[in-house]
Amino acid sequence: MSGQSLLVPGELSPARTVPGNIRRPEYVGKPSPTPYTGPEVQTPETVEAMRTAGRIAARAMKEAAKLIAPGVTTDELDRVAHAYMCDHGAYPSTLGYRGFPKSLCTSVNEVICHGIPDTTVLRDGDIVNLDVTAYIGGVHGDNNATYLVGDVDEESRLLVERTRESLARAIKAVRPGRQINIIGRVIESYAKRFGYGVVRDFTGHGINSSFHSGLIIPHYDSPHATTVMQPGMTFTIEPMLTLGTHEYDMWDDGWTVVTKDRRRTAQFEHTLVVTDTGADILTLP
């Protein structure tokens, strides 16, 4: 494994502004969102609106990822994704969500999820996850991916590659009539081949007009995930695999989640809709 030193918090830049003509999610300026009480099965019109939001989120992530290189700050990645979403009429969903201060999450090395972009400088050999969600047309589209920074060690590179593959396998397992727990069963069984930990406390989620609808998508084989998938259901799958333990600590910022053993972790995510025969990915660029 890479001998990189552990991360420490950097300094935050001032909050970025969003043009006044861009519609905000209802939770902006509030301590928490209004609980979602609508259906998990969406209308075709809502699904198409989510495809638009998902495409913008995917392209914003792709634009930010172009900058990934040793010497670049995570705040610079935030700047690029923020500008792309605003330029395309979308609001960055994370900005102001339960007080989150930035327009995407940047999770480096041992950070499982929810890393806050700041003055942290990417180093040769790092891995970094970008998690981007766009809100437009009254709905959200959410995706993330883990990227290599410069010359990355083989153990980390394989972790990233296999985490991407675990998402692909999970998406193929989606079928109407199956219980949600098939998703976690597929991910966990694949991860166990390599001795990876599977994060349990942070999950995929229902998504639509709500950023997090209340539907939970575990990435391990949970006996409680018995909800039956139906055509038109929209949710994310976002496996987080680790080189060691699945247990975690949280920084004092209340957001940044790191592996308890400080070993590396990777994540990939798509928003999808259940179809009559499987799944349709809504976060394609």
Side-chain angles (χ1 to χ4, degrees):
M1 169 178 175
S2 170
Q4 299 280 44
S5 58
L6 298 179
L7 291 172
V8 295
E11 295 182 7
L12 291 180
S13 63
R16 303 190 195 282
T17 59
V18 177
N21 64 317
I22 293 178
R23 178 179 174 183
R24 271 74 169 154
E26 59 83 23
Y27 53 74
V28 174
K30 297 165 54 179
S32 61
T34 302
Y36 179 72
T37 57
E40 298 297 346
V41 173
Q42 304 304 311
T43 66
E45 292 77 17
T46 297
V47 170
E48 287 311 304
M50 290 179 65
R51 194 185 307 278
T52 297
R55 184 178 298 120
I56 291 172
R59 290 176 176 172
M61 183 173 70
K62 189 175 181 180
E63 285 301 305
K66 289 178 181 178
L67 273 71
I68 291 175
V72 174
T73 66
T74 55
D75 187 66
E76 180 67 4
L77 304 179
D78 181 79
R79 183 191 67 77
V80 172
H82 177 94
Y84 186 94
M85 285 184 275
C86 291
D87 288 348
H88 291 81
Y91 185 91
S93 300
T94 61
L95 184 61
Y97 179 77
R98 296 184 182 272
F100 192 84
K102 291 295 178 179
S103 298
L104 82 165
C105 301
T106 50
S107 300
V108 181
N109 295 346
E110 68 268 21
V111 180
I112 295 171
C113 57
H114 306 157
I116 301 174
D118 58 18
T119 55
T120 296
V121 176
L122 296 177
R123 302 162 297 181
D124 187 57
D126 283 343
I127 61 174
V128 57
N129 178 274
L130 305 187
D131 193 339
V132 182
T133 311
Y135 177 80
I136 188 172
V139 296
H140 301 267
D142 185 4
N143 71 160
N144 74 55
T146 302
Y147 298 89
L148 309 181
V149 184
D151 185 15
V152 175
D153 67 277
E154 182 73 357
E155 184 179 43
S156 299
R157 188 189 64 76
L158 286 172
L159 174 69
V160 171
E161 179 182 302
R162 290 165 177 166
T163 306
R164 182 191 293 110
E165 175 64 16
S166 77
L167 173 60
R169 289 172 180 240
I171 291 172
K172 289 178 181 176
V174 172
R175 291 284 187 284
R178 289 181 171 177
Q179 293 183 343
I180 289 291
N181 58 16
I182 187 65
I183 294 170
R185 190 176 309 142
V186 166
I187 293 167
E188 187 174 38
S189 63
Y190 180 70
K192 279 185 174 179
R193 293 190 197 178
F194 312 105
Y196 295 154
V198 181
V199 172
R200 302 168 79 88
D201 294 273
F202 300 90
T203 67
H205 52 89
I207 184 171
N208 38 66
S209 60
S210 173
F211 195 171
H212 299 86
S213 73
L215 177 66
I216 301 299
I217 312 295
H219 302 120
Y220 63 99
D221 187 4
S222 169
H224 306 295
T226 56
T227 299
V228 174
M229 291 182 268
Q230 304 173 56
M233 287 180 70
T234 50
F235 51 81
T236 71
I237 303 176
E238 44 188 298
M240 291 153 264
L241 305 186
T242 70
L243 289 175
T245 183
H246 68 268
E247 296 179 346
Y248 69 93
D249 293 320
M250 186 174 289
W251 282 4
D252 292 342
D253 60 25
W255 284 104
T256 306
V257 179
V258 296
T259 53
K260 186 170 284 290
D261 58 10
R262 303 304 191 264
R263 299 196 71 193
R264 288 188 170 188
T265 176
Q267 181 184 18
F268 284 83
E269 173 188 22
H270 275 305
T271 295
L272 53 88
V273 59
V274 181
T275 68
D276 291 334
T277 58
D280 184 12
I281 298 171
L282 301 178
T283 40
L284 295 174

